[in-house]
């Protein structure tokens, strides 16, 4: 079954179960949020998050000082190449409208989807998508145990590289699928790597890729103890 979703392209990857804070200030995304807010209360306020492969989150500023108009402003002419083909549905939890008309939005990832077609004729991008159910795959349980151990070591190595003390390790979920998405979100990697983890055909494949990634990163951190890294547990709201 396919559904139509408004699209919110970002320079990051959203995973099911992860929280996404957004600072919504562009006209196209203000309109998107306003349209979702206008829906009946019993209708979930959902939009699709896709990572940007070629382009930027914010539209370029025209010579007049205004944002360039158009739903696809800031992306290449071929949206199927500018945006990655697999994204994650985000469901709005809260919206706080600010005095300047922008808003602070909190949402969370729910399910993955594949983009089938993109429509740029409206005030913001919309897409026809098919939801991708999460399959467990063979050996997910054993792989999850290995990933959990490797992730603990990775956290400790990363804390040491940042010259900080890891006083309390976060308790990791038992569910292999939930664990796979948490580790994907928390591991320091570029967008292309994180996108490949999102697109993994099943949980076992994602965990296997994460185990390889974590082992490689641990080896790097062992050799380069002063390697700088970003925060694992904090992510600034995207400026859309």
């Amino acid at each position: 079954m396919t559904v139509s979703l408004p699209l919110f392209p970002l320079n990051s990857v959203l995973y099911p179960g992860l929280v996404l804070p957004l600072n919504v200030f562009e006209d196209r995304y203000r309109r998107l949020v306003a349209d979702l807010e206008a829906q009946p209360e019993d209708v979930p306020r959902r939009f699709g998050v896709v990572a940007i492969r070629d382009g930027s989150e914010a539209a370029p500023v025209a010579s007049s000082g205004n944002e360039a108009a158009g739903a696809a402003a800031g992306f290449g002419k071929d949206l199927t190449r500018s945006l990655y083909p697999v994204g994650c549905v985000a469901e709005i939890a809260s919206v706080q409208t600010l005095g300047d008309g922008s808003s602070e939005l909190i949402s969370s990832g729910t399910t993955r989807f594949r983009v089938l077609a993109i429509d740029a004729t409206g005030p913001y991008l919309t897409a026809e998508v098919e939801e991708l159910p999460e399959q467990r795959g063979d050996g997910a349980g054993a792989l999850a145990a290995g990933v959990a151990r490797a992730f603990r070591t990775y956290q400790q190595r990363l804390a040491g590289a940042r010259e900080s003390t890891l006083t309390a390790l976060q308790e990791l979920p038992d569910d292999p699928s939930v664990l796979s998405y948490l580790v994907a979100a928390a591991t320091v990697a570029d967008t292309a790597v994180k996108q490949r983890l999102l697109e993994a055909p099943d949980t076992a494949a994602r965990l296997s890729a994460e185990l390889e990634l974590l082992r490689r990163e641990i080896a790097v951190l062992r050799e380069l103890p002063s390697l700088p890294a970003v925060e694992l547990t904090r992510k600034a709201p995207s400026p859309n």
Side-chain angles (χ1 to χ4, degrees), residues 58-116:
V61 177
S63 57
S64 62
N66 298 322
E67 295 168 358
F75 310 123
K77 293 182 179 180
D78 185 355
L79 291 172
T80 60
R81 296 180 63 86
S82 297
L83 307 176
Y84 283 100
V86 174
C88 183
V89 176
E91 187 165 325
I92 295 176
S94 66
V95 177
Q96 180 183 5
T97 303
L98 306 179
D100 61 358
S102 64
S103 58
E104 299 288 347
L105 183 153
I106 300 295
S107 61
S108 59
T110 59
T111 57
R112 298 181 305 153
F113 63 81
R114 183 178 302 280
V115 175
L116 303 177

Side-chain angles (χ1 to χ4, degrees), residues 9 28-29 52 54-57 60 71-77 79 82-83 125:
R28 53 183 169 178
Y29 300 125
I52 299 168
D54 178 21
S56 61
E57 290 183 352
F75 310 123
K77 293 182 179 180
L79 291 172
S82 297
L83 307 176
L125 296 177

Side-chain angles (χ1 to χ4, degrees), residues 113-200:
F113 63 81
R114 183 178 302 280
V115 175
L116 303 177
I118 301 177
D119 182 2
T121 60
Y124 47 80
L125 296 177
T126 61
E128 193 73 15
V129 308
E130 62 176 355
E131 294 191 357
L132 298 176
E134 182 73 12
Q135 304 293 335
R136 186 179 177 92
D138 296 334
L143 283 165
V147 167
R149 289 192 297 270
F151 186 64
R152 294 289 194 203
T153 302
Y154 172 74
Q155 286 182 302
Q156 292 166 345
R157 294 281 184 185
L158 197 56
R162 296 177 57 250
E163 298 182 355
S164 62
T165 302
L166 205 61
T167 56
L169 290 174
Q170 179 183 5
E171 186 171 344
L172 297 176
D174 294 327
D175 183 276
S177 176
V178 177
L179 174 69
S180 74
Y181 286 126
L182 175 64
V183 170
T187 302
V188 179
D190 62 27
T191 299
V193 172
K194 287 181 174 286
Q195 180 67 27
R196 286 196 292 272
L197 295 177
L198 179 70
E199 295 182 12

Side-chain angles (χ1 to χ4, degrees), residues 218-237:
I218 289 167
V220 170
L221 290 168
R222 185 184 299 118
E223 296 301 321
L224 301 172
S226 60
L227 185 69
V230 299
E231 286 284 352
L232 281 179
T233 57
R234 293 185 179 180
K235 181 180 179 181

Side-chain angles (χ1 to χ4, degrees), residues 7-27:
L7 284 188
F8 204 130
L10 295 172
N11 286 325
S12 58
V13 178
L14 176 65
Y15 298 101
L18 275 294
V19 174
L20 174 67
L22 287 170
N23 177 8
V24 181
F25 64 87
E26 284 193 74
D27 287 342

